[in-house]
Amino acid sequence: MREVWSNYTSDRSKKNRSKEKNTWQRAVNIASWVSLILCGILAVWGYQSGIFQSVETMQQFVNRFGMIGALIFVLIQIVQVVFPIIPGGISCLAGVLLFGAVPGFLYNYIGICVGSCIAFGIARSLGRPVLYKMFPGKMIEKYLTWTELKGRFLKLFALAIFLPVAPDDFLCYLAGTTNMTWKQFVTVIFLGKPFSIALYSLGLTTLFQVIFHLV
């Protein structure tokens, strides 16, 4: 009787965890769609109001807010790393267009590095279950193989951060569930991110200019 009850409670607990995971992932997906829709609405409003007529008009609009605008942008970058509901490429592009090449790069760098450290810390505290609450199972299983390669995860992680070839936000969470030290993580992030951010910013800005002829 005791064994039957134990099996029953175990099955029920698994179902509850599965239901909680599905609910969390559904919420993340909904938040992603909502953020994209809001970005679209903002783009239409900005174009109709004349803000998006050129890079200069966008920068003039942002400059009205002074450092508050920059702080808000950095905060947005931090949040989009910790809760990856906005494509990182879009926010990197926005930073360069709104604040200029050098300030935009700096604000992108600060926000993304701080957000990456927070993501690492969350995973270090909560463990692997947090991955399944925030990311698709297929993505998790794909990159979990990296952690099974003894002594190679750090190298693969550094390469992925240096070159935008993998989901960086997820990998920061995944790194937090490994034996990677804070010193190793911070070193990789602060040394590897400048190149990937610059590459994203330059590539997307060039594409944006070609498509919309803003510059």
Side-chain angles (χ1 to χ4, degrees):
M1 188 69 179
R2 182 177 300 173
E3 183 178 353
V4 173
W5 175 254
S6 177
N7 291 335
Y8 169 76
T9 54
S10 178
D11 291 341
R12 189 172 182 179
S13 177
K14 289 180 181 178
K15 290 180 180 179
N16 288 337
R17 286 197 298 268
S18 178
K19 184 177 180 181
E20 181 183 354
K21 180 184 71 174
N22 292 335
T23 301
W24 183 269
Q25 288 182 348
R26 193 177 300 114
V28 172
N29 290 334
I30 292 174
S32 298
W33 279 107
V34 170
S35 65
L36 288 175
I37 292 172
L38 289 176
C39 287
I41 294 174
L42 179 62
V44 173
W45 170 81
Y47 182 79
Q48 291 180 342
S49 62
I51 296 174
F52 292 163
Q53 286 184 352
S54 67
V55 173
E56 289 74 16
T57 56
M58 288 190 291
Q59 292 178 349
Q60 289 172 5
F61 175 77
V62 172
N63 288 338
R64 297 177 188 174
F65 302 96
M67 283 305 299
I68 294 178
L71 291 174
I72 292 175
F73 177 79
V74 170
L75 180 60
I76 291 174
Q77 281 291 57
I78 293 173
V79 172
Q80 70 87 14
V81 174
V82 179
F83 301 101
I85 58 177
I86 302 175
I90 293 178
S91 56
C92 282
L93 171 62
V96 174
L97 291 178
L98 294 176
F99 301 99
V102 176
F105 169 82
L106 181 62
Y107 299 150
N108 281 327
Y109 179 65
I110 294 173
I112 291 174
C113 287
V114 172
S116 298
C117 290
I118 293 175
F120 181 84
I122 290 173
R124 178 55 51 91
S125 300
L126 300 181
R128 192 160 289 179
V130 74
L131 299 180
Y132 291 91
K133 290 184 177 182
M134 298 186 65
F135 301 96
K138 290 183 178 180
M139 177 187 293
I140 297 171
E141 298 304 323
K142 176 181 178 180
Y143 289 100
L144 275 180
T145 57
W146 288 18
T147 66
E148 298 168 359
L149 300 172
K150 190 174 182 180
R152 294 190 60 188
F153 178 75
L154 178 60
K155 295 179 182 178
L156 291 172
F157 176 75
L159 180 62
I161 294 300
F162 185 74
L163 298 172
V165 296
D168 294 0
D169 301 339
F170 165 74
L171 290 178
C172 290
Y173 275 96
L174 179 61
T177 66
T178 68
N179 60 359
M180 183 182 296
T181 66
W182 269 102
K183 182 178 180 180
Q184 290 173 328
F185 178 81
V186 170
T187 300
V188 171
I189 292 297
F190 278 79
L191 295 182
K193 277 296 181 183
F195 180 77
S196 62
I197 291 174
L199 192 61
Y200 259 127
S201 302
L202 178 62
L204 291 173
T205 302
T206 302
L207 179 62
F208 190 83
Q209 292 172 354
V210 169
I211 294 175
F212 294 97
H213 305 286
L214 289 181
V215 174

